């Protein structure tokens, strides 16, 4: 079923370490509520900000516009842009590295990660999500592609 307007969250803004910080802030906020309501509310608001800040995209097929945005506590920040048509979703593979240091040794871990994009045209592509597991990325993109009536093309080499 193809909809005239589609809105979906694409990926989290904050990495996992900040989400863990949000858990600590939420616990601290609940504890602080018993002593100081204002401090508890501030900590809970900060936790909610960390938990809910995400990237998203709204696609209005009837007006041929899309809104690639950052969602923060109910507010969307981003610009509306026009498009001629939606071509397809695609997957690209890239190498990522992470440097790990200890007191006496450092090492670099290399991974393969997969990025998913929505292509409107050659010059107009929107990032959707990154996963280390290609199957998880496909599982995220496939329902969106079905709703838009487009394909998911895998440019990643296995």
């Amino acid at each position: 079923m193809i909809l005239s307007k589609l809105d979906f969250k694409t990926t989290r803004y904050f990495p996992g370490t900040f989400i863990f910080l949000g858990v600590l802030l939420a616990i601290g906020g609940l504890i602080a509520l018993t002593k100081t309501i204002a401090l508890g509310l501030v900590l809970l608001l900060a936790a909610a900000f960390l938990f809910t800040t995400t990237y998203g995209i709204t696609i209005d097929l009837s007006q041929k516009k899309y809104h690639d945005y950052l969602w923060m506590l109910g507010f969307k920040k981003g610009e509306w842009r026009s498009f001629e048509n939606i071509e397809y979703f695609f997957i690209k593979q890239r190498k990522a590295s992470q440097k790990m240091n200890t007191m006496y040794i450092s090492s670099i871990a290399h991974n393969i990660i997969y990025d998913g994009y929505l292509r409107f045209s050659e010059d107009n592509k929107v990032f959707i999500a990154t996963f280390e597991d290609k199957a998880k990325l496909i599982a995220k993109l496939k329902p969106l592609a079905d709703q838009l009536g487009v394909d998911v093309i895998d440019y990643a080499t296995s």
Side-chain angles (χ1 to χ4, degrees), residues 52-87:
T52 62
T53 303
T54 58
Y55 289 106
I57 187 168
T58 301
I59 301 170
D60 189 334
L61 297 171
S62 62
Q63 294 186 19
K64 293 199 171 209
K65 291 183 176 183
Y66 72 93
H67 186 206
D68 186 22
Y69 61 84
L70 178 65
W71 191 91
M72 299 174 291
L73 295 173
F75 297 100
K76 292 180 179 180
K77 183 176 190 228
E79 296 180 20
W80 283 93
R81 296 196 170 121
S82 299
F83 65 88
E84 288 298 315
N85 59 19
I86 300 172
E87 295 183 2

Side-chain angles (χ1 to χ4, degrees), residues 91-154:
I91 298 170
K92 286 178 61 177
Q93 172 182 304
R94 66 182 165 98
K95 292 180 181 178
S97 58
Q98 181 179 9
K99 188 172 184 178
M100 296 171 278
N101 293 311
T102 63
M103 221 152 140
Y104 301 106
I105 192 167
S106 70
S107 63
I108 299 175
H110 298 277
N111 307 23
I112 301 294
I113 57 176
Y114 301 93
D115 295 328
Y117 296 87
L118 177 57
R119 179 180 161 134
F120 293 101
S121 68
E122 178 65 33
D123 299 329
N124 192 358
K125 302 169 193 87
V126 176
F127 171 76
I128 301 298
T130 296
F131 284 90
E132 289 183 10
D133 182 355
K134 184 167 43 170
K136 288 182 181 177
L137 179 58
I138 291 170
K140 180 169 184 77
L141 297 179
K142 186 70 175 125
L144 304 174
D146 290 344
Q147 288 180 355
L148 290 170
V150 297
D151 294 324
V152 176
I153 297 175
D154 185 0

